[in-house]
Amino acid sequence: MKILVVGGGGREHAIIKKLKENKSVEKIFALPGNGGMAEDATLVDIGAKDIPAIVEFAKANAIDYAVVAPDDPLVLGCVDALEAVGIPCFGPRANAAIIEGSKVFSKNLMKKYSIPTARYEVFSSADEALKYLDTAPIPTVIKADGLALGKGVIIAMTRDEARDAVKSIMQDKVFGKSGENIVIEEFLEGPEVSVLSFTDGEVVVPMISSQDHKRAHDGDTGLNTGGMGTVAPNPYYTDEIADVCMETIFLPTIRAMKAEGRTFRGCLYFGLMLTKDGPKVIEYNCRFGDPETQVVLPLLKSDLLTVMQATTNGTLKDTPVEFSLGSACCVIMASAGYPEAYEKGFTLTIPEDIKKNVFVAGAKLQDGVLKTNGGRVLGATCTSDTLEGAIDGAYAMVRTIKFDNAYYRTDIGKRALMAKESK
Ligand code: AMP
Ligand code: GLY
C-alpha cells in the first residue's frame, strides 16, 4: 500500500513509524514532513495547507490511504477533497473538524447536549465583552473562536488582563478572523488529562490517557509552548473517572456530532480537567495531539493502519485496539529561547540505536547533514514497565542526542510520579 501523511512534525513522525510496522505498507509519503524523518518516509515539498496540490499528488501517485494529521488541513476540508477523488482518509471531514475549528461551535454543542464544560458567554462585539468583564468572576478565560496556532487561549488572572485580551483579539485583531468572535469562560481548576480516541462516528475507543507539560520551564513556569513533554498513562485518570468520561463526555459527544449531521471519524482528542465537580471538557481537538501522540502510539500494541482503516470503514466495533500495560515518557528537546526567538541550523546527531523512538519535529537535511530547523526539534520517548523507568530512559536518550543550544525541561513526569506515589 502507498500511504500519504499530511503534516510535518513530531506527531507525524510517530504516526509514520507506527504505520511502517504494517508489512503491507510499501511506501509512505510525508507532505511536507521534515528532514529528520527522511529515513522513514519520502518527503514531498507540498505544504500541509495546499489542498489542491495534495489532491493532485495523491491522484498522480495512486495513493491507497491518506492520514491528515494537523488541524488546519482538516478544518480546510482536506479529507473532503481527497475523498472526492476516491482516496480513503483517516481524519474528520470539515463539517466535523469544526469541533476544533470553532470554539463557539464546540461550546454550543456541549451546552445543547449537556456535556460538562466550563460555563461561558459568546461575544461578537468588543464593547459587549468589555461590559461583561466589569462584573465577570475573575480569574477568567478568554478564547478566540477560530484556530490561532495554539495561542488563542488567555487565562486572565485580573480584570485588566482580561480586558487587554479582549482588546488585542477583537480590536487589534492579533489572530485575524479567528478572533471575530470570542468565548469568555469560567476558570476551572484541577489536574488536566488528555484522552485521544479512535472513532468511526458510532463507536468511540479511548486510547491510553496522557499528560502534557505546556510551560517552557521546570516547575510549570515560563511561557506556554506547543508542549515540552508528555507521559502516559496519566495517573490522575483512574478507571472510575474513565467510566464517568465515557458516559458523560465521550459517547455523548460522538452521538451529538452524528445528530447534528456532522459524523466525526478519525481521532477525537478530549482535553479534560478533573474538577471537584467531576471531569469537564476544556477543549476538543479534531486530531492526534502533539506531543501526546509520541507517548500514546509507542504503547499501542494493535496495528495502527488496521485501526485507522476501521474508523474510515465504520468497523471499529469489530476491531481490537490494545495498549500495553506499561508507561511512556517523551522529553522534548527544543532550541534555547523557544517559544520566543531561537537560533537554528545546528548539526543534529541522534545515535543509531535510539532512532526508533526519536520523533523529529524541526530539522532539515542540508547537503546530507541533519540540521536543527525549529523551536521544538525532537521528542525522545522511552517505554517501560514503570513510569519511573520510562522517565529515566527518556532522559538517558536525551543525554546522547547532540546539537548546540539544546534546551529541555528536567522534570517531565515528576508531577505524575508524585501523584502515583501519593495514591
Ligand atoms: P489550548 O491552547 O486550547 O490547549 O488551551 C491552553 C490551556 O489553557 C489548557 O491546556 C488549559 O491548561 C488552559 N485552559 C483552557 N480553558 C481553561 C479553563 N476554562 N479554565 C482553566 N484553564 C483553562
Ligand atoms: N498537546 C495539545 C495539542 O496537540 O493541541
Side-chain angles (χ1 to χ4, degrees):
M1 279 184 77
K2 287 203 254 176
I3 312 235
L4 178 157
V5 174
V6 176
R11 163 186 57 201
E12 286 76 7
H13 199 184
I15 291 172
I16 287 167
K17 281 187 187 278
K18 199 75 194 174
L19 287 172
K20 273 180 63 180
E21 291 177 10
N22 182 310
K23 297 278 174 293
S24 70
V25 173
E26 307 148 44
K27 192 152 185 150
I28 303 182
F29 296 97
L31 280 64
N34 77 70
M37 51 177 92
E39 290 174 16
D40 296 307
T42 303
L43 308 184
V44 182
D45 190 14
I46 293 176
K49 288 199 268 184
D50 190 349
I51 292 172
I54 293 170
V55 171
E56 275 317 301
F57 179 87
K59 276 200 302 193
N61 290 277
I63 294 297
D64 297 297
Y65 193 66
V67 177
V68 183
D71 47 2
D72 280 308
L74 289 167
V75 170
L76 290 170
C78 191
V79 166
D80 310 56
L82 287 165
E83 283 180 350
V85 296
I87 297 168
C89 295
F90 180 79
R93 295 178 184 159
N95 76 347
I98 191 174
I99 198 163
E100 174 170 6
S102 167
K103 294 217 156 56
V104 174
F105 171 85
S106 66
K107 295 298 290 191
N108 289 343
L109 183 87
M110 287 186 270
K111 185 187 260 178
K112 181 169 173 189
Y113 292 91
S114 303
I115 297 166
T117 187
R119 279 192 295 272
Y120 71 103
E121 300 286 337
V122 176
F123 297 94
S124 52
S125 127
D127 288 343
E128 279 173 31
L130 290 168
K131 198 163 113 210
Y132 169 77
L133 284 177
D134 286 340
T135 54
I138 298 294
T140 190
V141 183
I142 320 281
K143 299 186 171 183
D145 177 36
L147 296 180
L149 300 168
K151 300 198 175 91
V153 174
I154 292 139
I155 314 282
M157 301 310 289
T158 65
R159 218 168 282 284
D160 279 343
E161 272 174 41
R163 290 189 181 112
D164 287 347
V166 166
K167 286 179 195 157
S168 72
I169 298 174
M170 299 193 90
Q171 292 173 340
D172 305 340
K173 301 190 181 358
V174 289
F175 304 125
K177 272 188 168 311
S178 285
E180 279 178 1
N181 296 300
I182 60 167
V183 171
I184 301 186
E185 73 177 28
E186 177 195 7
F187 174 75
L188 299 177
E189 286 176 279
E192 275 187 69
V193 183
S194 304
V195 180
L196 286 57
S197 69
F198 291 108
T199 176
D200 59 4
E202 298 281 342
V203 172
V204 56
V205 181
M207 299 182 221
I208 195 164
S209 63
S210 54
Q211 181 177 25
D212 196 358
H213 297 66
K214 287 205 163 115
R215 300 298 196 96
H217 303 305
D218 284 8
D220 295 321
T221 59
L223 293 173
N224 253 320
T225 69
M228 295 302 294
T230 34
V231 292
N234 185 321
Y236 292 103
Y237 191 73
T238 60
D239 289 347
E240 201 184 353
I241 294 174
D243 288 345
V244 172
C245 289
M246 182 54 99
E247 287 310 311
T248 63
I249 296 174
F250 305 160
L251 278 171
T253 302
I254 296 302
R255 289 180 185 144
M257 290 298 278
K258 189 177 173 203
E260 294 291 310
R262 297 173 181 276
T263 300
F264 190 104
R265 296 183 193 87
C267 172
L268 183 54
Y269 166 129
F270 299 90
L272 307 172
M273 198 166 271
L274 309 181
T275 75
K276 60 176 179 11
D277 303 320
K280 295 193 178 178
V281 177
I282 289 274
E283 62 169 350
Y284 293 114
N285 291 330
C286 64
R287 52 172 174 88
F288 280 100
D290 190 336
E292 285 90 341
T293 305
Q294 291 92 312
V295 282
V296 169
L297 289 187
L299 292 171
L300 177 66
K301 289 204 293 190
S302 309
D303 175 58
L304 178 60
L305 180 61
T306 306
V307 178
M308 284 181 157
Q309 287 176 311
T311 70
T312 313
N313 301 336
T315 52
L316 198 54
K317 182 166 63 71
D318 307 315
T319 307
V321 184
E322 278 183 71
F323 283 86
S324 129
L325 295 176
S327 292
C329 173
C330 173
V331 176
I332 298 291
M333 296 182 78
S335 306
Y338 171 78
E340 295 184 289
Y342 55 84
E343 288 181 68
K344 52 191 187 183
F346 300 112
T347 300
L348 168 60
T349 35
I350 307 169
E352 207 56 46
D353 60 321
I354 64 164
K355 274 190 177 161
K356 183 172 178 291
N357 281 318
V358 174
F359 308 115
V360 182
K364 69 172 179 189
L365 279 169
Q366 208 172 302
D367 303 325
V369 181
L370 200 57
K371 304 276 185 180
T372 63
N373 192 38
R376 288 191 300 168
V377 173
L378 57 84
T381 295
C382 178
T383 58
S384 167
D385 291 343
T386 63
L387 177 59
E388 204 165 16
I391 296 170
D392 289 347
Y395 278 106
M397 289 166 74
V398 160
R399 285 191 289 273
T400 66
I401 297 170
K402 302 287 174 212
F403 59 94
D404 287 351
N405 287 16
Y407 169 78
Y408 54 90
R409 274 180 62 161
T410 65
D411 66 343
I412 300 302
K414 196 169 166 184
R415 217 171 259 245
L417 212 48
M418 274 160 35
K420 229 180 147 122
E421 279 160 8
S422 69
K423 264 193 206 158

